[in-house]
Amino acid sequence: MTTTTPPTGTTTPAPTGALNASRTVATAARVLRQLRHDPRTIAMMILIPCVMLFLLRYVFDGSPRTFDNIGASLLGIFPLITMFLVTSIATLRERTSGTLERLLAMPLGKGDLIAGYALAFGALAIIQSALATGLAVWFLGLDVTGSPWLLLLVALLDALLGTALGLFVSAFAASEFQAVQFMPAVIFPQLLLCGLFTPRDNMHPALEAISDVLPMSYAVDGMNEVLKHTDMTADFVRDALIVAGCALLVLGLGAATLRRRTA
């Protein structure tokens, strides 16, 4: 998409502080048009969680109960990791190519820009989460007590959280390699402390306290609620709201830290 630079001597109108729906949608449409010409990125975002779940199912082919116990948790974790990685790299590519510089020179608020990116990647997250949930429940035989729609809701929230985290950390990376390096710092500690490998109340008290403030812990807890209960529980609502709230908080931080790299 070609952007025009205002003529010398003219003043670009300052964007208002509130989000503007038309600017946000226009930004999302531009991102989606760019992604349309990058089928490998789309394939990675949409198909990798499905491939990982497929492999996991047949790794535990002789012990399907194990797949039932951890499959629901990983159904939320895989989309989060994938969206984090792809979003951080794709956003950083916008910075290094100069696209972000040109956009920030236009009457486009930082909130509009971040919301537009989140909307575009969120649309792909819906497709990703729906395919992964459908594959796990109806093809791979994941046995859940609750509604598959609640699984889909948590998987979608997790994917959106991954998108928000990716947008946020991209502000602190100078290259795509550095963006990938944020994964061990941001994702791996959450993966170890989220309760996937052992219940969080069995951890050292200091680690349990840390896990209590990590959003992935509540993503896993929410999935486990669906795994064990037929109806929506108060704990499930709490977990879903915490994950959604963390995603919104990180998006706000991403807008606050968004800045031009050149004068």
Side-chain angles (χ1 to χ4, degrees):
M1 179 178 179
T2 303
T3 57
T4 58
T5 304
T8 303
T10 62
T11 302
T12 301
T16 58
L19 287 176
N20 182 283
S22 62
R23 292 195 295 253
T24 298
V25 172
T27 301
R30 182 191 62 79
V31 174
L32 290 173
R33 283 195 299 270
Q34 288 186 328
L35 287 174
R36 186 180 61 185
H37 300 293
D38 190 358
R40 286 178 296 182
T41 298
I42 294 177
M44 182 176 179
M45 281 191 288
I46 293 178
L47 298 181
I48 289 297
C50 295
V51 173
M52 292 296 100
L53 286 169
F54 186 86
L55 290 176
L56 184 71
R57 168 62 182 85
Y58 290 102
V59 164
F60 295 109
D61 191 39
S63 180
R65 230 14 241 174
T66 303
F67 176 70
D68 290 337
N69 290 334
I70 68 173
S73 298
L74 291 175
L75 181 58
I77 291 174
F78 285 157
L80 190 157
I81 294 175
T82 304
M83 294 305 294
F84 170 84
L85 183 61
V86 172
T87 304
S88 59
I89 293 176
T91 308
L92 185 63
R93 192 177 298 164
E94 296 267 86
R95 293 178 183 274
T96 56
S97 66
T99 302
L100 189 62
E101 294 290 314
R102 295 192 295 271
L103 289 173
L104 289 176
M106 299 171 64
L108 182 70
K110 294 180 179 180
D112 298 322
L113 188 61
I114 289 294
Y117 275 88
L119 185 61
F121 285 108
L124 292 174
I126 293 174
I127 300 173
Q128 178 199 72
S129 301
L131 287 177
T133 303
L135 174 71
V137 175
W138 289 295
F139 184 79
L140 299 179
L142 180 65
D143 186 16
V144 294
T145 302
S147 169
W149 294 105
L150 296 180
L151 279 183
L152 174 59
L153 174 61
V154 180
L156 176 58
L157 291 175
D158 293 342
L160 293 176
L161 176 61
T163 298
L165 289 170
L167 289 170
F168 176 63
V169 303
S170 69
F172 304 98
S175 65
E176 293 182 13
F177 179 67
Q178 286 187 5
V180 174
Q181 287 179 313
F182 273 105
M183 178 172 284
V186 176
I187 299 297
F188 287 178
Q190 296 193 67
L191 188 62
L192 292 174
L193 300 177
C194 68
L196 177 64
F197 301 104
T198 186
R200 291 193 291 127
D201 54 10
N202 289 346
M203 298 178 185
H204 187 280
L207 295 181
E208 183 183 359
I210 295 173
S211 74
D212 286 341
V213 299
L214 298 177
M216 192 182 290
S217 301
Y218 298 95
V220 170
D221 288 350
M223 287 297 193
N224 287 335
E225 286 294 309
V226 181
L227 192 66
K228 299 174 183 177
H229 300 91
T230 55
D231 299 320
M232 183 187 299
T233 64
D235 286 341
F236 173 86
V237 174
R238 178 207 62 191
D239 296 334
L241 289 176
I242 289 175
V243 174
C246 287
L248 291 175
L249 175 61
V250 175
L251 283 176
L253 292 174
T257 56
L258 187 64
R259 63 192 185 279
R260 298 184 62 178
R261 293 295 178 88
T262 59

